[in-house]
Amino acid sequence: MKTEILKNSTLDHLQKFQYFYFSIITLIIWGITSWLRYRKAQPLLFGNESYFHLVAAQSSIFHPLYYISNLSWLFLIPLILALVNLFLFSYLGKKLNLSNNLIFFSALFLIISPNFIYGYTTIISATFYLFLMLLGFSLLLSKYSWFSVIPFLAASFVDIFSTILILALLAIYYYTYRSKITFWIFGAVTLCLILNLVLGLPLVSGPSYQQNPLSDLLSDLGAVQGLSFFILLLFFIGLATAWKTEKYFKVYLLLPVIITEYIINTNLIFLFSLLIIFFAAIGFTNLFERKWSLETLKTFSVLLLLLGILFSTIAYSERLSSFDPSGADVEALTWIKENTPPESIVLSSPENGYFIQYFGQRQPLKTSTNSLTTTMFNSSYISELFPLLEANNVSIIYITPKMKQSLPTDQGFIFLLKNERFKLLHSRENNEVWLFSK
Amino acid sequence: MVKRETYLLWGLFVIVLVTRLALSFFTPNFTYESYFHLQQVEQIGATGFPNFEGSLFLPLFHYLATALSLIIPLDILAKILPNLLYSSLILIIYLIAKSITDNPKAALFSALIAGFLPVLFSTNAFEVEALFFPLIFLAIYTFLNIQKKKYVYLYLLAFLLLSLTSSATSLLIIGFILYLILAKIEKKEISSAELELILFSIFFFLWIQFLFFKNMFSNEGINFIWQNIPTAIISQYFPKVSILEALALVSIIPLLVGLYTIYRSLFQAQNKETFLLITLALSTAVFTWFRLIPFKVALSFFGIILAILFALFYQDIWRYFVQTKIAKFKRYFPAIITLLLIITIIPTSIQISLDQVTPSDEEIAAFQWLQNNTPKNAGVAALLEESNLVSYYSRNNLLDTQFGAVKDVDERFASLNAVFNTAFQTQVLRIADKYDLQYIIFTTHAQERYNITKPRYYPGECFKRVYYNATQIYQIKCTLEEIKPER
């Protein structure tokens, strides 16, 4: 493939001050998202995983958020982590002698990817894990290499898969640099892995939900996180071209590990997307640096790619303002907290479970597979529904507009609410709280 | 010699066009689906923009028809334009076949097959595919000749127009990707220009799809492939592959010859042009097998490729024939082949055209009565395929064949069936209240489908028959009210 070194003063300027410009872009996207939610009177912190961690923090002194879970500026933490991660990413890229174009485009695709946007507007363990990993490798490549053991060991306690990924990365690092310190850190992390298995740490931390590896990968297909079609396309181009370069060849070894882990649990989308973005940046850099037979075609192709990626970002940002919980959710759940007995069990859609626990301070009806909740919502007769509600001591039912859209209105659960044993206690913007009396 | 083939080619074009037009004007009206597109053309003519409410589509074909309707009345244009476009395929297929075989005679046979291919012989269909197929094969032809600069620009223009015509352009995109992969495996050299054009095509196509359909992708996820078609009828659009149906719609000779040519060419060295066509055929077959593209579109595309590959077969069989002992009869060989093709293809094509399901004049009169005698925003329940007529005559339907933007499509489909199937007035009234329906149109098709001459709940005090002919129209006069319990 013919390449040429492009002399482009604009690109040089952008690359020289990339951290500044990328921070501005990050702040703008974060600012717009937060303002849109603020305008709709919605909580600035959103997403199931945020409240999963907040609920866990409230009940465990060992959780990193334990001491700050009730602070009003909690929504700033993801943003701060994102800016720090961006800095560490650029620093690490230079330390690994990656080309300026590759570092620049990787960072650009990263900050405008829906995945990363989700990461710096919500609390997810992956951004914290990423921070620890970037810090660990940055220290490992510096003269303070022994201090890298601290972030690596801390990252080992996120979940089992994350620990396996650390080991894979350390193995690649050791193979490349033959560093003795890496050998010792590898051993320490292995011990942590054994300890994690004994302690029963989860395979992947995060809330459980219905998973589909393909749909969860692409934000354009409605995924909560995910990436753009165009990034995935560039990923395949990068995959096809990067293997020729020895430096990148070792990164291929991560692919089977991460892809397998992702298929098992799509909560790993954030980490998987980092690998995808890396290869996508390689693919884009190759296209950008290649001498095309038709230069106009090259210009249009690059423009189409950038516009396509930008469209995905804009489309995703529009969706962010409608992610749960809404202002009405918070209001209704706060009403539940203030007006129902503390021991009440609340029946609602499984996605609302962590909101009920955090805002409503009540226990949602939980089952290991959500099949009981599904059975209840699919009931067509009171003779099916009432025994289930009584057996599980359900006294409060929380219905959201999203649930009403998915349930039929003229039969089934919504229709059964007309029975005299159900009483509408509170309603706001179509969010309803019902009492089931015994 | 070359001139003779040119005359034959243009003669073939005229014969095909005249045959198609004759059949088109012989059969009254248009296929049901056509009325959706006719409505869009009228909408563009009136407002300058299509009606995207409740339907998602690429509008180039409709804009083309609107522009031409300024010169020719739409009801005549709607019969001429699709048939003219399908006839133009003959010229494009001839050019492709000639470029891969360099044999004008062989190319003429490909053109003959493409001109009378049964699956393309819906002469009364005013549909996007009429523009799509000529464009896609024009794009393929120009792609095969990109060594010359002008063909690069022609390809770009053809592809641009194609991307704005139909999402089925994905057939070409997937074919290109498979072409690159197989070329890599077989160590065939791909020129820089080819690679760059393919990449640009992929980027541009995806970008256009995203621009038009981003909401549908976001709402439906991976299921956008199946276009939100109701579960009960999805097998009609994505049926299991039926060899018998393929034999009927592509015809036995092109199908068997084409499959044989693909099979043989896979294991032999062939030129790059043939290689590309074979990968396009393979990609279509794979996606049809996995039911990722509608069967009719896939079969049409596949059939045309087989028509092109027939030229290779003819060339080979001719070379073999002239070496045999019966070579002295070689001047009769083309005539025999022509006769065989005519016998096996043309009757089937004509039959398919005559078997098209179109509304009768009486049904059209009923819909026109509906338009003239009911309020403008009246809701009307009609059979799924007839609902396009409801929209064409400016009334609201319960559900038509534009499923893409419909949120509760399965529920609506079940309700629509219930309106025609049920014996209970209350069920119909509940559906009428829910979807704001005021009329039910009961055509002869509905009567045949449900094996009844009138709705089972008629006569009933809530239904008044306001139009009675072979088609019946009922007005819904009641509504269901809930008796609220005293608390």
Side-chain angles (χ1 to χ4, degrees):
Chain A
M1 198 185 291
K2 296 173 206 167
T3 61
E4 61 177 23
I5 309 297
L6 295 174
K7 297 287 177 199
N8 186 320
S9 56
T10 311
L11 186 60
D12 288 341
H13 172 82
L14 288 172
Q15 285 177 355
K16 195 173 168 192
F17 299 102
Q18 63 177 287
Y19 184 68
F20 171 73
Y21 286 115
F22 289 159
S23 301
I24 297 289
I25 294 171
T26 305
L27 282 166
I28 289 171
I29 297 175
W30 178 88
I32 291 172
T33 309
S34 301
W35 178 75
L36 284 172
R37 288 191 70 85
Y38 177 76
R39 215 174 59 124
K40 291 183 185 178
Q42 289 169 337
L44 296 181
L45 209 50
F46 57 93
N48 245 306
E49 191 168 346
S50 299
Y51 292 93
F52 167 82
H53 290 299
L54 289 175
V55 164
Q58 282 177 340
S59 52
S60 168
I61 197 169
F62 298 109
H63 197 284
L65 298 176
Y66 177 75
Y67 295 101
I68 56 172
S69 62
N70 288 318
L71 292 176
S72 57
W73 51 267
L74 205 57
F75 66 95
L76 289 173
I77 290 177
L79 175 67
I80 295 166
L81 263 179
L83 292 171
V84 170
N85 283 342
L86 204 55
F87 174 78
L88 287 172
F89 183 84
S90 299
Y91 173 79
L92 194 59
K94 290 191 176 84
K95 277 284 183 187
L96 291 171
N97 295 318
L98 299 177
S99 71
N100 284 339
N101 278 346
L102 182 58
I103 298 172
F104 178 80
F105 289 120
S106 297
L108 174 65
F109 293 158
L110 189 63
I111 60 160
I112 62 173
S113 74
N115 227 2
F116 200 71
I117 294 172
Y118 188 80
Y120 60 75
T121 46
T122 62
I123 296 176
I124 58 172
S125 56
T127 46
F128 183 60
Y129 174 80
L130 180 65
F131 162 70
L132 292 170
M133 292 297 290
L134 289 171
L135 182 63
F137 278 104
S138 299
L139 287 169
L140 200 54
L141 284 162
S142 71
K143 55 184 179 179
Y144 306 106
S145 48
W146 276 108
F147 290 98
S148 63
V149 71
I150 302 168
F152 282 132
L153 287 181
S156 306
F157 287 100
V158 172
D159 54 50
I160 306 282
F161 275 154
S162 299
T163 318
I164 294 171
L165 184 59
I166 298 171
L167 291 172
L169 287 166
L170 286 171
I172 293 171
Y173 185 88
Y174 179 75
Y175 176 77
T176 311
Y177 294 101
R178 304 284 172 185
S179 155
K180 217 188 249 181
I181 299 166
T182 319
F183 183 76
W184 291 107
I185 297 172
F186 188 94
V189 173
T190 308
L191 285 172
C192 284
L193 176 63
I194 296 167
L195 185 62
N196 290 342
L197 289 166
V198 166
L199 290 175
L201 227 65
L203 279 173
V204 180
S205 77
S208 61
Y209 55 91
Q210 208 164 2
Q211 300 186 356
N212 182 316
L214 185 58
S215 296
D216 291 346
L217 183 63
L218 296 168
S219 62
D220 296 327
L221 295 184
V224 171
Q225 300 180 58
L227 297 160
S228 156
F229 267 135
F230 293 91
I231 293 285
L232 194 65
L233 188 59
L234 285 169
F235 164 68
F236 287 117
I237 295 172
L239 265 187
T241 53
W243 65 275
K244 293 173 194 166
T245 312
E246 201 197 323
K247 191 163 47 172
Y248 304 139
F249 184 74
K250 297 176 206 86
V251 187
Y252 282 81
L253 299 171
L254 283 174
L255 276 172
V257 175
I258 291 192
I259 291 175
T260 310
E261 291 184 354
Y262 172 74
I263 291 170
I264 294 171
N265 194 319
T266 61
N267 261 325
L268 285 160
I269 177 62
F270 190 91
L271 298 174
F272 186 28
S273 71
L274 294 176
L275 192 62
I276 292 175
I277 286 170
F278 176 73
F279 278 105
I282 292 174
F284 187 84
T285 311
N286 282 332
L287 288 174
F288 191 71
E289 292 176 350
R290 176 192 168 92
K291 187 166 167 50
W292 288 49
S293 42
L294 265 181
E295 278 301 304
T296 322
L297 203 61
K298 174 183 170 178
T299 308
F300 275 112
S301 295
V302 167
L303 195 63
L304 281 172
L305 280 169
L306 290 174
L307 281 176
I309 295 167
L310 204 58
F311 278 164
S312 292
T313 306
I314 293 170
Y316 182 76
S317 301
E318 284 171 1
R319 283 173 53 209
L320 273 181
S321 60
S322 60
F323 279 19
D324 290 332
S326 64
D329 279 321
V330 176
E331 195 275 338
L333 293 170
T334 308
W335 187 94
I336 289 176
K337 182 174 84 172
E338 291 166 357
N339 295 280
T340 63
E343 67 279 3
S344 302
I345 300 214
V346 182
L347 170 67
S348 187
S349 174
E351 295 86 58
N352 296 327
Y354 299 112
F355 309 142
I356 292 168
Q357 284 184 275
Y358 186 77
F359 293 108
Q361 295 292 310
R362 296 290 177 270
Q363 265 310 109
L365 178 68
K366 265 194 241 183
T367 59
S368 56
T369 59
N370 294 327
S371 58
L372 180 60
T373 327
T374 310
T375 306
M376 286 183 181
F377 284 122
N378 287 338
S379 303
S380 298
Y381 303 101
I382 54 176
S383 54
E384 288 171 9
L385 179 61
F386 285 176
L388 290 171
L389 292 173
E390 287 161 359
N392 290 282
N393 293 319
V394 171
S395 54
I396 302 291
I397 298 164
Y398 178 54
I399 307 285
T400 61
K402 213 182 272 185
M403 288 167 66
K404 281 187 189 172
Q405 272 174 15
S406 61
L407 295 170
T409 49
D410 50 0
Q411 58 183 356
F413 189 86
I414 300 292
F415 182 77
L416 293 178
L417 288 175
K418 296 178 196 232
N419 185 278
E420 59 195 8
R421 283 183 70 179
F422 293 107
K423 187 179 169 193
L424 181 64
L425 297 178
H426 181 76
S427 172
R428 170 126 183 243
E429 290 179 33
N430 251 334
N431 289 56
E432 295 172 357
V433 181
W434 291 80
L435 172 73
F436 172 65
S437 53
K438 297 215 166 111
Chain B
M1 213 43 184
V2 173
K3 248 192 175 173
R4 182 165 163 260
E5 263 78 35
T6 309
Y7 287 134
L8 283 171
L9 178 66
W10 282 105
L12 181 61
F13 170 78
V14 168
I15 292 169
V16 169
L17 180 60
V18 166
T19 308
R20 291 188 74 108
L21 286 173
L23 288 165
S24 178
F25 282 99
F26 177 76
T27 309
N29 306 311
F30 300 95
T31 57
Y32 287 103
E33 186 76 29
S34 306
Y35 287 93
F36 168 76
H37 300 291
L38 286 168
Q39 185 201 358
Q40 295 300 333
V41 172
E42 288 181 357
Q43 172 82 13
I44 293 170
T47 65
F49 297 100
N51 179 11
F52 285 125
E53 198 182 326
S55 51
L56 297 162
F57 58 95
L58 293 161
L60 181 68
F61 172 72
H62 308 88
Y63 273 98
L64 173 67
T66 308
L68 292 171
S69 69
L70 297 173
I71 308 162
I72 306 170
L74 182 59
D75 49 352
I76 297 173
L77 176 71
K79 296 221 170 180
I80 295 175
L81 181 63
N83 290 302
L84 183 63
L85 289 169
Y86 274 123
S87 302
S88 69
L89 253 180
I90 294 169
L91 309 171
I92 301 167
I93 299 312
Y94 173 83
L95 289 170
I96 296 175
K98 190 161 168 243
S99 77
I100 64 172
T101 59
D102 208 20
N103 185 331
K105 212 173 275 182
L108 272 174
F109 284 113
S110 292
L112 171 65
I113 295 169
F116 284 105
L117 202 62
V119 70
L120 299 177
F121 235 72
S122 295
T123 51
N124 287 62
F126 180 70
E127 57 186 10
V128 169
E129 282 77 12
L131 180 60
F132 169 71
F133 284 114
L135 273 178
I136 197 169
F137 282 95
L138 182 64
I140 292 170
Y141 172 66
T142 49
F143 185 82
L144 291 173
N145 290 284
I146 53 169
Q147 310 86 356
K148 298 169 201 156
K149 201 103 180 186
K150 68 169 183 181
Y151 284 101
V152 173
Y153 296 112
L154 272 171
Y155 169 80
L156 289 171
L157 177 63
F159 190 82
L160 195 138
L161 297 173
L162 195 54
S163 298
L164 292 168
T165 301
S166 171
S167 300
T169 308
S170 56
L171 274 171
L172 186 62
I173 296 294
I174 289 151
F176 278 152
I177 293 170
L178 200 62
Y179 171 66
L180 290 175
I181 295 169
L182 288 178
K184 191 85 183 169
I185 293 169
E186 294 212 5
K187 294 184 171 49
K188 285 193 185 304
E189 204 186 303
I190 303 282
S191 68
S192 298
E194 278 184 335
L195 181 63
E196 287 157 14
L197 277 178
I198 290 174
L199 284 173
F200 173 79
S201 304
I202 295 170
F203 300 153
F204 185 78
F205 172 72
L206 277 179
W207 190 75
I208 290 290
Q209 296 306 297
F210 190 73
L211 208 61
F212 277 89
F213 305 120
K214 71 172 171 67
N215 287 334
M216 191 171 87
F217 293 155
S218 174
N219 294 335
E220 291 175 34
I222 194 68
N223 293 324
F224 79 87
I225 294 172
W226 296 281
Q227 300 163 37
N228 201 33
I229 295 169
T231 320
I233 57 168
I234 197 165
S235 58
Q236 288 174 26
Y237 290 78
F238 296 89
K240 282 201 173 109
V241 174
S242 160
I243 301 294
L244 284 174
E245 202 173 340
L247 272 172
L249 292 173
V250 177
S251 266
I252 185 165
I253 293 177
L255 182 67
L256 294 177
V257 162
L259 289 174
Y260 170 73
T261 309
I262 290 171
Y263 168 76
R264 205 200 52 187
S265 301
L266 276 175
F267 301 104
Q268 283 180 12
Q270 72 283 93
N271 59 30
K272 220 193 277 184
E273 291 84 7
T274 315
F275 185 69
L276 174 63
L277 289 169
I278 288 171
T279 53
L280 286 171
L282 281 174
S283 69
T284 313
V286 166
F287 278 83
T288 310
W289 189 262
F290 287 105
R291 296 156 93 176
L292 296 173
I293 47 176
F295 185 62
K296 190 173 174 254
V297 173
L299 197 60
S300 304
F301 188 72
F302 191 66
I304 299 170
I305 298 219
L306 294 182
I308 299 169
L309 293 176
F310 186 88
L312 281 171
F313 174 79
Y314 177 83
Q315 193 175 46
D316 289 343
I317 206 96
W318 173 258
R319 281 197 203 121
Y320 172 75
F321 186 79
V322 296
Q323 291 169 6
T324 63
K325 287 178 183 167
I326 50 172
K328 59 185 178 199
F329 297 110
K330 66 181 179 186
R331 66 192 179 103
Y332 299 112
F333 186 73
I336 294 168
I337 298 289
T338 308
L339 196 62
L340 271 173
L341 287 174
I342 287 172
I343 291 168
T344 53
I345 296 176
I346 293 178
T348 316
S349 303
I350 293 173
Q351 193 57 48
I352 282 182
S353 176
L354 294 173
D355 284 344
Q356 287 175 101
V357 180
T358 59
S360 61
D361 288 337
E362 188 277 325
E363 283 173 11
I364 295 289
F367 280 97
Q368 285 170 342
W369 182 94
L370 202 65
Q371 184 184 35
N372 296 329
N373 295 280
T374 61
K376 195 165 168 37
N377 57 357
V380 181
L383 284 184
L384 186 67
E385 56 273 23
E386 292 169 355
S387 295
N388 289 319
L389 271 165
V390 171
S391 303
Y392 181 73
Y393 286 105
S394 308
R395 295 295 173 268
N396 301 325
N397 61 45
L398 170 51
L399 179 69
D400 58 25
T401 54
Q402 304 305 311
F403 305 112
V406 180
K407 282 196 170 77
D408 51 350
V409 71
D410 282 319
E411 203 182 331
R412 279 185 179 253
F413 184 75
S415 299
L416 185 61
N417 271 333
V419 165
F420 290 94
N421 226 351
T422 188
F424 302 111
Q425 289 189 57
T426 47
Q427 189 176 4
V428 178
L429 292 175
R430 188 176 295 122
I431 292 168
D433 285 344
K434 185 172 178 181
Y435 297 110
D436 196 23
L437 302 173
Q438 287 81 40
Y439 296 89
I440 302 168
I441 185 160
F442 214 68
T443 61
T444 47
H445 287 113
Q447 293 166 35
E448 278 164 20
R449 178 167 307 169
Y450 293 100
N451 206 22
I452 43 179
T453 52
K454 56 181 169 66
R456 291 192 180 91
Y457 41 85
Y458 183 82
E461 57 187 38
C462 288
F463 300 92
K464 181 185 173 190
R465 189 159 59 190
V466 294
Y467 181 91
Y468 185 39
N469 212 327
T471 301
Q472 300 156 38
I473 300 176
Y474 297 87
Q475 186 183 15
I476 302 168
K477 299 197 72 71
C478 308
T479 181
L480 278 182
E481 256 187 42
E482 193 181 315
I483 301 170
K484 293 205 182 335
E486 289 173 39
R487 288 200 185 251

